[in-house]
Amino acid sequence: MNDDGIHIRPAEPDDAPDLARLIDMAGGGVYEFLLDGLVPGQTAAEMLVPGLAGTSGSFSHRHSGVAEAAGRIVGVVHAYPVDWIRTQDYSGLPVDRLAHMEDFNRVHDWGSYFLSALAVDPAWRRRGIASRLLAWVYERARRGRFDRVTLHVWADNADARQLYAKEGFTEIGRADIPWHERLPHQGGSVLLRRPV
């Protein structure tokens, strides 16, 4: 723990509801777009909880780090080998929604360590938490013998793009994800890479 009272640690199963809330936020609407209406009465974040509480698959809490302050989770990072995306089972998702996101699943730097989500609670931003969570990912990538970390960020998310540029990420590709009323982003998704 630093003097500021913020502690970075691996996520635990009981963290799943907080992880889901923050990962949903990080997605910029993608989880609502993919999951909305699939389970009546459940939000996208609620639908993410079981996978995050589990111990298997790329969505498990075992691939997340959290920032904790005053006994509550104020930030999350989730990352795993990008090649796992090729083995994901999307059969339960609507075909039209998957088709809309198709380019995202094609545009990757295969063989890299993939940062799938980074979010800090709005009340805790601008305190260096995102950079500390990213450092946690870089260390995990190195321990796993990866030489680079990649991520997708919405092209119109200027704040996130500025953070990643400051961290040394550079653009290496772009996924053409068209605007949709339930996924209102302009410019698609930008693939960024940083050596570790």
Side-chain angles (χ1 to χ4, degrees), residues 72-135:
R72 69 182 276 242
I73 293 173
V74 298
V76 65
V77 66
H78 187 84
Y80 52 84
V82 73
D83 290 2
W84 290 3
I85 289 174
R86 290 177 164 157
T87 65
Q88 298 293 332
D89 178 9
Y90 298 113
S91 61
L93 297 176
V95 174
D96 61 325
R97 298 182 200 181
L98 289 174
H100 192 85
M101 298 294 295
E102 183 178 12
D103 214 33
F104 171 83
N105 283 330
R106 266 201 311 264
V107 179
H108 283 288
D109 180 12
W110 303 111
S112 67
Y113 200 68
F114 183 63
L115 172 65
S116 72
L118 171 67
V120 175
D121 188 292
W124 288 84
R125 291 180 183 164
R126 309 240 184 276
R127 300 181 195 205
I129 294 172
S131 292
R132 288 166 59 184
L133 287 167
L134 286 168

Side-chain angles (χ1 to χ4, degrees), residues 39-62:
V39 178
Q42 278 198 352
T43 66
E46 290 168 339
M47 292 175 67
L48 299 177
V49 171
L52 288 164
T55 58
S56 63
S58 64
F59 215 65
S60 168
H61 69 277
R62 295 171 53 186

